[in-house]
Amino acid sequence: MKIHISGSSVDLQRAAKLTPQKRVIILTPTLFLLVLISLYLFLDSSLSLLRPPTAVIGHHGWLRSRFFGQREEPKKCDVFRGQWVPYPNATYYTNETCPMISDQQNCLKFGRPDTEYLRWRWRPDGCELPRFDALEFLDIVKGKSVAFVGDSVGRNQMQSLLCLLAGFSKPEDITLRYTTDAINFKRWFFSDYNFTLAAFWAPFLVKAANWPEDGGGGFTRTSLMSLHLDEPELSWASEIEGFDYVIVSAGQWFYRPMVFYENGRLIGCSSCGVENVTEISRFYGYRMAFRTTFRTLMDLKGYKGVTFLRTFSADHFENGPWNDGGNCIRTRPFEKGEVKLKMYDYEFYRTQVEEFGWAERESDRCTSRDRKNKGQKLRLLDTTEASLMRPDGHPNSLGHSLHKNASFNDCVHWCMPGPIDTWNEFLLQSMRPEEAPGFSFWRLR
């Protein structure tokens, strides 16, 4: 019997006849190599537990390159593609531990009978999404500020983040120092971390008013809106420059009839029913709203923050439209592949992703040209797939608005606690200095 070691061989029968001292000398290299191999295998299995969970493909690459000279870069996991799996302890807070939950989303307070919707967590394909770590998040944002800009679903995500953090640092409501509208605009201050959390209500992102603009009245579910597609809504644009992280989003409001302006001139409308006004796709208005938003942020000389685009969140009305008996009474998530985006929802999603790509290219071009936006970063929070699979996560008939009579079921906003907390797991994963989640365009139409 022979053992081959690095091209040499040792005859074991001859070795058996040698003195103990000589056998030790001959076998020492063999034992040393066996110890080295065992140590390598131990380190490989141990260190794999310490690596970031998103770098799961090719995760041995860095170790092999160190020992054998092979270069194999770890690949990013797309945390936005996956499925919901049972998880008995998915909730981070309750309506009792977080008294700041709005009645509009406080499903437990108003007696939702089932609780199974609280026992699921998102599992990406091929890796794990870490649980939300409030202390890690607070360390990242220490001395900084986070703003959510968009409609009430964006504010819904801000309130989720508020509850996720409130159990570890007590927030102070400082809204009235900045505005008298304490419903649509919110600011919270975490003094332990010198951290500010804010929400700016701008459902169209751009300047919007009732049409005709001298007609008065507030926004309603069916009012005809005039949108100035090349002008940002000043409620956020005048305040955002000093923020370090900005999460922008918009969606359901673009289903209503709209009149579009550019350069102060009427250019057309979407489903407005006004004579002699050219019909223009609502997706054009949606595209230009995001383009104006990105351009505004890039043009702010003092803004050096990270901009996140949170993608479209579809509604889950069944058994009728939102204003004619539609409801959402399911109690379990959809399984992977069981549901697809509706055509219009897909177009909203596709438009967002395309504009995000435009913003990335424009940011790179501006940086190389005059470097005025040096330091800005763009990230995508693609919550669309995970949200679409959760028809069970809405208040339905349990939403109680503080300033309006609730006459319709709510299948747009999200119960708290609930699936929307996962959006902030995505957010934290994207804010980690060493992580930038992979992304693959989701073709669901």
PDB file of all heavy atoms in Angstrom, residues 58-81:
ATOM      1  N   GLY A  58     -21.250  30.934  -4.198  1.00  0.00           N
ATOM      2  CA  GLY A  58     -19.796  31.041  -4.297  1.00  0.00           C
ATOM      3  C   GLY A  58     -19.166  31.490  -2.996  1.00  0.00           C
ATOM      4  O   GLY A  58     -18.177  32.207  -2.995  1.00  0.00           O
ATOM      5  N   HIS A  59     -19.746  31.068  -1.846  1.00  0.00           N
ATOM      6  CA  HIS A  59     -19.292  31.623  -0.585  1.00  0.00           C
ATOM      7  C   HIS A  59     -17.945  31.082  -0.142  1.00  0.00           C
ATOM      8  O   HIS A  59     -17.380  31.581   0.820  1.00  0.00           O
ATOM      9  CB  HIS A  59     -20.342  31.373   0.503  1.00  0.00           C
ATOM     10  CG  HIS A  59     -20.467  29.944   0.903  1.00  0.00           C
ATOM     11  ND1 HIS A  59     -21.120  29.027   0.114  1.00  0.00           N
ATOM     12  CD2 HIS A  59     -20.030  29.274   2.002  1.00  0.00           C
ATOM     13  CE1 HIS A  59     -21.096  27.844   0.713  1.00  0.00           C
ATOM     14  NE2 HIS A  59     -20.443  27.965   1.858  1.00  0.00           N
ATOM     15  N   HIS A  60     -17.404  30.054  -0.807  1.00  0.00           N
ATOM     16  CA  HIS A  60     -16.074  29.574  -0.474  1.00  0.00           C
ATOM     17  C   HIS A  60     -14.987  30.302  -1.258  1.00  0.00           C
ATOM     18  O   HIS A  60     -13.815  30.042  -1.070  1.00  0.00           O
ATOM     19  CB  HIS A  60     -15.948  28.067  -0.773  1.00  0.00           C
ATOM     20  CG  HIS A  60     -16.874  27.208   0.025  1.00  0.00           C
ATOM     21  ND1 HIS A  60     -18.117  26.858  -0.429  1.00  0.00           N
ATOM     22  CD2 HIS A  60     -16.736  26.644   1.254  1.00  0.00           C
ATOM     23  CE1 HIS A  60     -18.713  26.092   0.470  1.00  0.00           C
ATOM     24  NE2 HIS A  60     -17.906  25.948   1.501  1.00  0.00           N
ATOM     25  N   GLY A  61     -15.383  31.205  -2.136  1.00  0.00           N
ATOM     26  CA  GLY A  61     -14.430  31.771  -3.075  1.00  0.00           C
ATOM     27  C   GLY A  61     -13.255  32.471  -2.432  1.00  0.00           C
ATOM     28  O   GLY A  61     -12.102  32.285  -2.813  1.00  0.00           O
ATOM     29  N   TRP A  62     -13.536  33.313  -1.415  1.00  0.00           N
ATOM     30  CA  TRP A  62     -12.448  34.097  -0.834  1.00  0.00           C
ATOM     31  C   TRP A  62     -11.439  33.196  -0.120  1.00  0.00           C
ATOM     32  O   TRP A  62     -10.241  33.448  -0.124  1.00  0.00           O
ATOM     33  CB  TRP A  62     -13.016  35.131   0.139  1.00  0.00           C
ATOM     34  CG  TRP A  62     -13.578  34.534   1.393  1.00  0.00           C
ATOM     35  CD1 TRP A  62     -14.828  34.061   1.584  1.00  0.00           C
ATOM     36  CD2 TRP A  62     -12.886  34.327   2.613  1.00  0.00           C
ATOM     37  NE1 TRP A  62     -14.977  33.577   2.838  1.00  0.00           N
ATOM     38  CE2 TRP A  62     -13.809  33.724   3.513  1.00  0.00           C
ATOM     39  CE3 TRP A  62     -11.585  34.578   3.050  1.00  0.00           C
ATOM     40  CZ2 TRP A  62     -13.452  33.382   4.804  1.00  0.00           C
ATOM     41  CZ3 TRP A  62     -11.244  34.242   4.347  1.00  0.00           C
ATOM     42  CH2 TRP A  62     -12.171  33.651   5.210  1.00  0.00           C
ATOM     43  N   LEU A  63     -11.914  32.075   0.489  1.00  0.00           N
ATOM     44  CA  LEU A  63     -11.010  31.194   1.213  1.00  0.00           C
ATOM     45  C   LEU A  63     -10.163  30.390   0.241  1.00  0.00           C
ATOM     46  O   LEU A  63      -8.964  30.215   0.432  1.00  0.00           O
ATOM     47  CB  LEU A  63     -11.825  30.269   2.110  1.00  0.00           C
ATOM     48  CG  LEU A  63     -11.056  29.508   3.198  1.00  0.00           C
ATOM     49  CD1 LEU A  63     -10.280  30.480   4.069  1.00  0.00           C
ATOM     50  CD2 LEU A  63     -12.018  28.697   4.047  1.00  0.00           C
ATOM     51  N   ARG A  64     -10.791  29.909  -0.841  1.00  0.00           N
ATOM     52  CA  ARG A  64     -10.031  29.165  -1.836  1.00  0.00           C
ATOM     53  C   ARG A  64      -8.977  30.041  -2.492  1.00  0.00           C
ATOM     54  O   ARG A  64      -7.880  29.589  -2.791  1.00  0.00           O
ATOM     55  CB  ARG A  64     -11.001  28.611  -2.893  1.00  0.00           C
ATOM     56  CG  ARG A  64     -11.856  27.465  -2.381  1.00  0.00           C
ATOM     57  CD  ARG A  64     -12.544  26.749  -3.526  1.00  0.00           C
ATOM     58  NE  ARG A  64     -13.319  25.618  -3.030  1.00  0.00           N
ATOM     59  CZ  ARG A  64     -14.631  25.490  -3.197  1.00  0.00           C
ATOM     60  NH1 ARG A  64     -15.303  26.417  -3.810  1.00  0.00           N
ATOM     61  NH2 ARG A  64     -15.253  24.424  -2.731  1.00  0.00           N
ATOM     62  N   SER A  65      -9.311  31.295  -2.755  1.00  0.00           N
ATOM     63  CA  SER A  65      -8.333  32.168  -3.399  1.00  0.00           C
ATOM     64  C   SER A  65      -7.137  32.398  -2.487  1.00  0.00           C
ATOM     65  O   SER A  65      -6.009  32.546  -2.947  1.00  0.00           O
ATOM     66  CB  SER A  65      -8.987  33.505  -3.772  1.00  0.00           C
ATOM     67  OG  SER A  65      -9.368  34.212  -2.604  1.00  0.00           O
ATOM     68  N   ARG A  66      -7.387  32.417  -1.182  1.00  0.00           N
ATOM     69  CA  ARG A  66      -6.279  32.633  -0.254  1.00  0.00           C
ATOM     70  C   ARG A  66      -5.326  31.440  -0.228  1.00  0.00           C
ATOM     71  O   ARG A  66      -4.108  31.600  -0.187  1.00  0.00           O
ATOM     72  CB  ARG A  66      -6.825  32.903   1.149  1.00  0.00           C
ATOM     73  CG  ARG A  66      -5.739  32.995   2.217  1.00  0.00           C
ATOM     74  CD  ARG A  66      -6.301  33.488   3.533  1.00  0.00           C
ATOM     75  NE  ARG A  66      -6.757  34.858   3.429  1.00  0.00           N
ATOM     76  CZ  ARG A  66      -7.246  35.547   4.459  1.00  0.00           C
ATOM     77  NH1 ARG A  66      -7.362  34.980   5.630  1.00  0.00           N
ATOM     78  NH2 ARG A  66      -7.628  36.794   4.312  1.00  0.00           N
ATOM     79  N   PHE A  67      -5.876  30.206  -0.306  1.00  0.00           N
ATOM     80  CA  PHE A  67      -5.032  29.024  -0.199  1.00  0.00           C
ATOM     81  C   PHE A  67      -4.517  28.540  -1.549  1.00  0.00           C
ATOM     82  O   PHE A  67      -3.415  28.019  -1.647  1.00  0.00           O
ATOM     83  CB  PHE A  67      -5.808  27.878   0.483  1.00  0.00           C
ATOM     84  CG  PHE A  67      -5.858  28.013   1.966  1.00  0.00           C
ATOM     85  CD1 PHE A  67      -6.920  28.648   2.574  1.00  0.00           C
ATOM     86  CD2 PHE A  67      -4.843  27.515   2.758  1.00  0.00           C
ATOM     87  CE1 PHE A  67      -6.971  28.776   3.955  1.00  0.00           C
ATOM     88  CE2 PHE A  67      -4.895  27.635   4.140  1.00  0.00           C
ATOM     89  CZ  PHE A  67      -5.960  28.274   4.732  1.00  0.00           C
ATOM     90  N   PHE A  68      -5.319  28.696  -2.607  1.00  0.00           N
ATOM     91  CA  PHE A  68      -4.962  28.077  -3.879  1.00  0.00           C
ATOM     92  C   PHE A  68      -4.824  29.071  -5.020  1.00  0.00           C
ATOM     93  O   PHE A  68      -4.602  28.669  -6.151  1.00  0.00           O
ATOM     94  CB  PHE A  68      -6.023  27.030  -4.258  1.00  0.00           C
ATOM     95  CG  PHE A  68      -6.173  25.953  -3.238  1.00  0.00           C
ATOM     96  CD1 PHE A  68      -7.312  25.870  -2.453  1.00  0.00           C
ATOM     97  CD2 PHE A  68      -5.169  25.029  -3.025  1.00  0.00           C
ATOM     98  CE1 PHE A  68      -7.448  24.891  -1.497  1.00  0.00           C
ATOM     99  CE2 PHE A  68      -5.306  24.040  -2.069  1.00  0.00           C
ATOM    100  CZ  PHE A  68      -6.443  23.964  -1.303  1.00  0.00           C
ATOM    101  N   GLY A  69      -5.020  30.362  -4.756  1.00  0.00           N
ATOM    102  CA  GLY A  69      -4.788  31.361  -5.775  1.00  0.00           C
ATOM    103  C   GLY A  69      -5.928  31.551  -6.750  1.00  0.00           C
ATOM    104  O   GLY A  69      -5.790  32.261  -7.732  1.00  0.00           O
ATOM    105  N   GLN A  70      -7.105  30.903  -6.515  1.00  0.00           N
ATOM    106  CA  GLN A  70      -8.244  31.081  -7.395  1.00  0.00           C
ATOM    107  C   GLN A  70      -9.061  32.282  -6.934  1.00  0.00           C
ATOM    108  O   GLN A  70      -9.306  32.464  -5.756  1.00  0.00           O
ATOM    109  CB  GLN A  70      -9.140  29.837  -7.375  1.00  0.00           C
ATOM    110  CG  GLN A  70      -8.426  28.572  -7.837  1.00  0.00           C
ATOM    111  CD  GLN A  70      -9.331  27.370  -7.709  1.00  0.00           C
ATOM    112  OE1 GLN A  70     -10.469  27.491  -7.279  1.00  0.00           O
ATOM    113  NE2 GLN A  70      -8.818  26.220  -8.088  1.00  0.00           N
ATOM    114  N   ARG A  71      -9.504  33.110  -7.887  1.00  0.00           N
ATOM    115  CA  ARG A  71     -10.295  34.295  -7.562  1.00  0.00           C
ATOM    116  C   ARG A  71     -11.755  34.026  -7.941  1.00  0.00           C
ATOM    117  O   ARG A  71     -12.074  33.821  -9.101  1.00  0.00           O
ATOM    118  CB  ARG A  71      -9.785  35.520  -8.302  1.00  0.00           C
ATOM    119  CG  ARG A  71      -8.385  35.929  -7.895  1.00  0.00           C
ATOM    120  CD  ARG A  71      -7.977  37.219  -8.584  1.00  0.00           C
ATOM    121  NE  ARG A  71      -8.873  38.318  -8.222  1.00  0.00           N
ATOM    122  CZ  ARG A  71      -8.752  39.034  -7.115  1.00  0.00           C
ATOM    123  NH1 ARG A  71      -7.788  38.780  -6.257  1.00  0.00           N
ATOM    124  NH2 ARG A  71      -9.588  40.026  -6.872  1.00  0.00           N
ATOM    125  N   GLU A  72     -12.595  33.987  -6.941  1.00  0.00           N
ATOM    126  CA  GLU A  72     -14.017  33.730  -7.164  1.00  0.00           C
ATOM    127  C   GLU A  72     -14.811  34.693  -6.289  1.00  0.00           C
ATOM    128  O   GLU A  72     -14.901  34.541  -5.081  1.00  0.00           O
ATOM    129  CB  GLU A  72     -14.367  32.282  -6.813  1.00  0.00           C
ATOM    130  CG  GLU A  72     -15.819  31.923  -7.087  1.00  0.00           C
ATOM    131  CD  GLU A  72     -16.128  30.491  -6.699  1.00  0.00           C
ATOM    132  OE1 GLU A  72     -15.183  29.713  -6.533  1.00  0.00           O
ATOM    133  OE2 GLU A  72     -17.325  30.171  -6.568  1.00  0.00           O
ATOM    134  N   GLU A  73     -15.388  35.738  -6.893  1.00  0.00           N
ATOM    135  CA  GLU A  73     -16.097  36.756  -6.139  1.00  0.00           C
ATOM    136  C   GLU A  73     -17.471  36.247  -5.708  1.00  0.00           C
ATOM    137  O   GLU A  73     -18.181  35.622  -6.504  1.00  0.00           O
ATOM    138  CB  GLU A  73     -16.267  38.015  -6.988  1.00  0.00           C
ATOM    139  CG  GLU A  73     -14.951  38.698  -7.358  1.00  0.00           C
ATOM    140  CD  GLU A  73     -14.229  39.235  -6.135  1.00  0.00           C
ATOM    141  OE1 GLU A  73     -14.921  39.583  -5.153  1.00  0.00           O
ATOM    142  OE2 GLU A  73     -12.993  39.285  -6.159  1.00  0.00           O
ATOM    143  N   PRO A  74     -17.867  36.484  -4.444  1.00  0.00           N
ATOM    144  CA  PRO A  74     -19.203  36.089  -4.014  1.00  0.00           C
ATOM    145  C   PRO A  74     -20.270  36.888  -4.751  1.00  0.00           C
ATOM    146  O   PRO A  74     -20.090  38.070  -5.027  1.00  0.00           O
ATOM    147  CB  PRO A  74     -19.206  36.413  -2.508  1.00  0.00           C
ATOM    148  CG  PRO A  74     -18.154  37.454  -2.343  1.00  0.00           C
ATOM    149  CD  PRO A  74     -17.095  37.140  -3.373  1.00  0.00           C
ATOM    150  N   LYS A  75     -21.392  36.246  -5.065  1.00  0.00           N
ATOM    151  CA  LYS A  75     -22.474  36.895  -5.775  1.00  0.00           C
ATOM    152  C   LYS A  75     -23.532  37.363  -4.777  1.00  0.00           C
ATOM    153  O   LYS A  75     -23.762  36.742  -3.757  1.00  0.00           O
ATOM    154  CB  LYS A  75     -23.094  35.936  -6.790  1.00  0.00           C
ATOM    155  CG  LYS A  75     -22.112  35.494  -7.872  1.00  0.00           C
ATOM    156  CD  LYS A  75     -22.792  34.517  -8.824  1.00  0.00           C
ATOM    157  CE  LYS A  75     -21.811  34.037  -9.885  1.00  0.00           C
ATOM    158  NZ  LYS A  75     -22.448  33.066 -10.807  1.00  0.00           N
ATOM    159  N   LYS A  76     -24.189  38.470  -5.116  1.00  0.00           N
ATOM    160  CA  LYS A  76     -25.231  39.001  -4.258  1.00  0.00           C
ATOM    161  C   LYS A  76     -26.524  38.221  -4.423  1.00  0.00           C
ATOM    162  O   LYS A  76     -26.893  37.818  -5.524  1.00  0.00           O
ATOM    163  CB  LYS A  76     -25.479  40.471  -4.591  1.00  0.00           C
ATOM    164  CG  LYS A  76     -24.288  41.384  -4.286  1.00  0.00           C
ATOM    165  CD  LYS A  76     -24.047  41.506  -2.800  1.00  0.00           C
ATOM    166  CE  LYS A  76     -22.927  42.507  -2.517  1.00  0.00           C
ATOM    167  NZ  LYS A  76     -22.673  42.632  -1.083  1.00  0.00           N
ATOM    168  N   CYS A  77     -27.204  38.025  -3.330  1.00  0.00           N
ATOM    169  CA  CYS A  77     -28.514  37.394  -3.373  1.00  0.00           C
ATOM    170  C   CYS A  77     -29.576  38.468  -3.561  1.00  0.00           C
ATOM    171  O   CYS A  77     -29.513  39.526  -2.936  1.00  0.00           O
ATOM    172  CB  CYS A  77     -28.772  36.632  -2.071  1.00  0.00           C
ATOM    173  SG  CYS A  77     -30.448  35.984  -1.945  1.00  0.00           S
ATOM    174  N   ASP A  78     -30.530  38.224  -4.430  1.00  0.00           N
ATOM    175  CA  ASP A  78     -31.649  39.144  -4.617  1.00  0.00           C
ATOM    176  C   ASP A  78     -32.675  38.858  -3.522  1.00  0.00           C
ATOM    177  O   ASP A  78     -33.496  37.949  -3.640  1.00  0.00           O
ATOM    178  CB  ASP A  78     -32.244  38.937  -6.004  1.00  0.00           C
ATOM    179  CG  ASP A  78     -33.325  39.963  -6.323  1.00  0.00           C
ATOM    180  OD1 ASP A  78     -33.709  40.720  -5.407  1.00  0.00           O
ATOM    181  OD2 ASP A  78     -33.780  40.007  -7.477  1.00  0.00           O
ATOM    182  N   VAL A  79     -32.623  39.642  -2.457  1.00  0.00           N
ATOM    183  CA  VAL A  79     -33.502  39.385  -1.310  1.00  0.00           C
ATOM    184  C   VAL A  79     -34.958  39.678  -1.622  1.00  0.00           C
ATOM    185  O   VAL A  79     -35.846  39.308  -0.841  1.00  0.00           O
ATOM    186  CB  VAL A  79     -33.059  40.214  -0.078  1.00  0.00           C
ATOM    187  CG1 VAL A  79     -31.670  39.814   0.370  1.00  0.00           C
ATOM    188  CG2 VAL A  79     -33.142  41.702  -0.358  1.00  0.00           C
ATOM    189  N   PHE A  80     -35.226  40.334  -2.749  1.00  0.00           N
ATOM    190  CA  PHE A  80     -36.589  40.707  -3.082  1.00  0.00           C
ATOM    191  C   PHE A  80     -37.356  39.597  -3.809  1.00  0.00           C
ATOM    192  O   PHE A  80     -38.536  39.758  -4.103  1.00  0.00           O
ATOM    193  CB  PHE A  80     -36.584  41.968  -3.953  1.00  0.00           C
ATOM    194  CG  PHE A  80     -35.798  43.100  -3.352  1.00  0.00           C
ATOM    195  CD1 PHE A  80     -34.734  43.670  -4.038  1.00  0.00           C
ATOM    196  CD2 PHE A  80     -36.117  43.597  -2.106  1.00  0.00           C
ATOM    197  CE1 PHE A  80     -34.006  44.710  -3.491  1.00  0.00           C
ATOM    198  CE2 PHE A  80     -35.401  44.635  -1.543  1.00  0.00           C
ATOM    199  CZ  PHE A  80     -34.335  45.200  -2.240  1.00  0.00           C
ATOM    200  N   ARG A  81     -36.699  38.487  -4.113  1.00  0.00           N
ATOM    201  CA  ARG A  81     -37.354  37.360  -4.768  1.00  0.00           C
ATOM    202  C   ARG A  81     -37.425  36.200  -3.778  1.00  0.00           C
ATOM    203  O   ARG A  81     -36.394  35.780  -3.245  1.00  0.00           O
ATOM    204  CB  ARG A  81     -36.565  36.904  -6.004  1.00  0.00           C
ATOM    205  CG  ARG A  81     -36.256  38.016  -6.978  1.00  0.00           C
ATOM    206  CD  ARG A  81     -37.508  38.481  -7.724  1.00  0.00           C
ATOM    207  NE  ARG A  81     -37.268  39.795  -8.309  1.00  0.00           N
ATOM    208  CZ  ARG A  81     -37.759  40.927  -7.802  1.00  0.00           C
ATOM    209  NH1 ARG A  81     -38.513  40.881  -6.726  1.00  0.00           N
ATOM    210  NH2 ARG A  81     -37.507  42.082  -8.363  1.00  0.00           N
TER     211      ARG A  81
END
